[in-house]
């Protein structure tokens, strides 16, 4: 809740690309007796806020407003932050939004009508976007006596700078992009990621996560971690997160009513089996394309790579779509000569 200085100092927000490990980290944090962390409780709130912002700058018709931001030239981050500070929603509009989410697969946690009505009554005309998120996180918390209240939503990295400015403590989790896309396009990941997207859209979305994580890593209320470190050594990874965000007594505790963190193998609890799964499930040509497009970031983050810069440029010149994409509205991320040229130009800029 907001203190006298207008800072929301008991709020948490967790995000990252789809299939990056956000659910695992959320479950581990939510298992703490002093933390209430809801799992994707109101994804359309972020979608519609971003859509409203794009409308405010004269850019309507965006089917997926929470995009990868590659080549974004319509606005700067400060403009979005300013808009969110002035954004307002009425109880009636929020009620309609939650009604729409009742049939939306991206909402993982659903709530009884009485609980929602109580939250709607708490809103005031002075609540900006951060205050609304915080009010809902408090009102729908499964642990009303917790010290920290928050939620996790995927692909919402562009909201993190604004939430940090309002006092939130924020976390982005990253994962080897080859395993991430394997999880999206193979195994049970299709149940959560929806229809297959162009591989370039997924690559660029991963780079968006990395960009925000690296840009914000010195902020005192921000932390990023790797999925691989979390599953290999959850105790140390959680300890570093807690120390960074000034949250005491975060330990590895049992996760109730959860099948585990793998889309490919049945197991209970935390498993390392999903690390490197791309090697046995992903076509090698797709793996090379991902490595070529993500090579500088992968090396910075410590992921194993085998390419030289010249290898990457040659691979990007032969850009192709290894998966039969059926997602409409993402045609601009297709395997076109223009996108091949854009990826080559990007690599030359970030790695001269």
């Amino acid at each position: 809740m907001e203190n006298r200085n207008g800072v929301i100092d008991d709020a948490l927000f967790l995000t990252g690309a789809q299939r990056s490990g956000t659910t695992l980290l959320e479950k581990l944090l939510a298992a703490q007796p002093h933390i209430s962390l809801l799992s994707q409780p109101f994804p359309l709130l972020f979608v519609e806020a971003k859509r409203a912002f794009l409308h405010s700058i004269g850019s309507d018709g965006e089917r997926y407003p929470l995009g990868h931001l590659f080549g974004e030239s319509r606005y700067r981050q400060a403009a979005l932050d300013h808009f969110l500070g002035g954004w307002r929603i009425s109880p009636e509009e929020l009620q309609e939004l939650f009604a729409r989410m009742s049939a939306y697969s991206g909402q993982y946690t659903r709530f009884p009508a009485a609980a929602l009505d109580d939250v709607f009554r708490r809103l005031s005309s002075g609540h900006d976007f951060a205050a609304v998120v915080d009010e809902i996180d408090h009102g729908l918390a499964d642990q009303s006596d917790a010290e920290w209240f928050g939620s996790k939503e995927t692909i919402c990295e562009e909201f993190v700078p604004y939430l940090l400015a309002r006092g939130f403590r924020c976390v982005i989790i990253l994962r080897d992009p080859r395993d991430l896309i394997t999880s999206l396009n193979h195994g049970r990941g299709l149940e959560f990621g929806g229809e297959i997207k162009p591989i370039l859209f997924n690559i660029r979305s991963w780079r968006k996560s990395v960009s925000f994580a690296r840009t914000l890593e010195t902020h005192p209320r921000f932390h990023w971690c790797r999925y691989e470190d979390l599953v290999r050594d959850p105790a140390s990874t959680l300890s570093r997160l807690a120390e960074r965000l000034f949250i005491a007594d975060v330990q590895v505790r049992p996760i109730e009513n959860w099948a585990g963190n793998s889309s490919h193998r049945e197991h209970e609890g935390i498993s390392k089996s999903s690390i490197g799964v791309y090697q046995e499930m992903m076509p090698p040509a797709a793996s090379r394309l991902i490595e070529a497009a993500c090579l500088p970031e992968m090396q910075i983050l410590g992921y194993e790579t085998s390419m030289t810069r010249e290898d990457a440029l040659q691979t990007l010149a032969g850009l192709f779509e290894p998966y039969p994409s059926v997602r409409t509205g993402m045609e601009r991320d297709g395997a076109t000569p223009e996108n091949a040229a854009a990826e080559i130009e990007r690599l030359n800029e970030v790695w001269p």
Side-chain angles (χ1 to χ4, degrees):
M1 304 297 281
E2 289 192 45
N3 62 25
R4 293 178 180 177
N5 298 317
V7 174
I8 303 172
D9 57 4
D10 63 351
L12 301 174
F13 184 67
L14 166 61
T15 191
Q18 287 184 303
R19 312 307 299 162
S20 61
T22 57
T23 299
L24 172 61
L25 183 53
E26 168 248 313
K27 297 297 182 189
L28 287 168
L29 291 174
Q32 312 301 314
H34 58 311
I35 296 177
S36 170
L37 197 63
L38 303 175
S39 183
Q40 292 181 215
F42 36 86
L44 291 186
L45 184 67
F46 291 83
V47 172
E48 293 305 324
K50 181 68 181 295
R51 183 170 281 129
F53 166 68
L54 292 175
H55 172 75
S56 75
I57 61 172
S59 186
D60 290 314
E62 188 75 51
R63 184 165 184 175
Y64 300 103
L66 301 181
H68 50 60
L69 304 185
F70 180 74
E72 179 59 77
S73 59
R74 294 170 294 180
Y75 69 92
R76 294 185 179 275
Q77 181 67 42
L80 175 60
D81 296 348
H82 178 75
F83 174 85
L84 293 171
W87 177 93
R88 299 293 184 269
I89 191 169
S90 69
E92 293 74 24
E93 289 172 319
L94 192 60
Q95 188 172 31
E96 188 274 334
L97 193 62
F98 269 86
R100 286 170 52 198
M101 282 187 286
S102 65
Y104 180 56
S105 61
Q107 185 188 35
Y108 285 4
T109 309
R110 303 186 190 278
F111 309 94
L116 292 175
D117 289 342
D118 185 54
V119 169
F120 301 151
R121 284 193 295 268
R122 296 185 187 191
L123 294 181
S124 75
S125 59
H127 281 76
D128 66 352
F129 185 83
V132 169
V133 170
D134 183 54
E135 196 69 66
I136 300 174
D137 286 341
H138 273 80
L140 301 178
D142 50 4
Q143 299 166 238
S144 59
D145 59 345
E147 299 175 28
W148 303 93
F149 297 83
S151 50
K152 84 90 171 172
E153 299 286 352
T154 58
I155 60 173
C156 289
E157 295 91 340
E158 59 258 55
F159 288 83
V160 171
Y162 159 75
L163 293 175
L164 288 170
R166 291 287 278 114
F168 278 59
R169 286 157 170 79
C170 299
V171 182
I172 291 176
I173 185 167
L174 306 171
R175 183 181 186 183
D176 187 319
R178 297 163 295 193
D179 281 339
L180 183 149
I181 295 175
T182 298
S183 185
L184 276 170
N185 292 354
H186 300 267
R188 291 178 53 245
L190 289 168
E191 299 174 19
F192 307 100
E195 297 175 321
I196 290 180
K197 309 174 189 69
I199 195 168
L200 200 54
F201 179 90
N202 292 326
I203 286 170
R204 290 168 170 175
S205 295
W206 181 83
R207 294 194 316 227
K208 167 187 167 182
S209 272
V210 176
S211 177
F212 275 96
R214 296 282 294 169
T215 300
L216 297 169
E217 63 185 350
T218 60
H219 194 286
R221 291 174 180 253
F222 177 79
H223 182 67
W224 65 265
C225 64
R226 300 194 322 169
Y227 169 85
E228 293 78 11
D229 298 326
L230 183 63
V231 298
R232 285 180 175 133
D233 191 351
S236 295
T237 304
L238 288 178
S239 177
R240 285 193 295 272
L241 182 153
E243 181 180 2
R244 179 73 177 149
L245 301 185
F246 306 99
I247 301 174
D249 193 29
V250 175
Q251 305 173 23
V252 179
R253 302 175 189 271
I255 302 174
E256 299 180 0
N257 303 315
W258 190 55
N261 63 296
S262 175
S263 301
H264 312 289
R265 299 179 177 88
E266 295 296 329
H267 68 85
E268 294 183 4
I270 303 171
S271 171
K272 296 180 287 187
S273 65
S274 57
I275 297 177
V277 72
Y278 76 91
Q279 298 176 55
E280 54 187 276
M281 302 190 73
M282 175 176 280
S287 173
R288 284 186 59 81
L289 177 58
I290 295 167
E291 183 176 335
C294 301
L295 189 57
E297 291 87 353
M298 290 178 67
Q299 292 189 348
I300 288 171
L301 296 176
Y303 290 117
E304 183 178 348
T305 60
S306 60
M307 284 185 169
T308 64
R309 178 178 177 278
E310 289 69 29
D311 292 334
L313 290 170
Q314 183 177 1
T315 300
L316 292 173
L319 177 67
F320 72 106
E321 180 55 65
Y323 294 99
S325 173
V326 296
R327 184 71 70 100
T328 58
M330 295 183 174
E331 290 78 11
R332 65 184 178 186
D333 294 305
T336 64
E338 293 77 14
N339 271 326
E343 288 297 312
I344 290 172
E345 181 181 5
R346 186 202 86 94
L347 184 60
N348 282 325
E349 286 179 355
V350 301
W351 195 3

